[in-house]
Amino acid sequence: MNIIHDEPVVHRVPPAEREPVQDNATETTPAPPSAGTVESGKIVLLNWCIMLAGIGVIIIGGLWLAG
């Protein structure tokens, strides 16, 4: 809805003609480990614990729904 006091849009540029936006997130975000790198043992253990806890919650939820 337009209000009388709104100024009209002066110039709209189609998406193909816009300049690309500079993304600064790549500078601050660390890159994920590549295929050849080895992760720390603590990180691997934490990932396994989280995965097993998630599977346990799914199993308990399934048993609760079934029974």
Side-chain angles (χ1 to χ4, degrees):
M1 182 164 115
N2 291 337
I3 300 176
I4 297 172
H5 302 292
D6 284 348
E7 296 181 10
V9 176
V10 178
H11 181 66
R12 291 188 180 175
V13 179
E17 296 177 8
R18 291 183 189 154
E19 294 180 13
V21 178
Q22 296 292 333
D23 187 15
N24 294 335
T26 56
E27 297 173 2
T28 58
T29 336
S34 60
T37 60
V38 178
E39 291 186 1
S40 163
K42 291 181 181 179
I43 294 175
V44 173
L45 181 62
L46 177 65
N47 288 339
W48 273 96
C49 290
I50 292 172
M51 182 181 68
L52 291 175
I55 291 172
V57 167
I58 290 171
I59 291 172
I60 290 172
L63 292 173
W64 180 72
L65 286 173

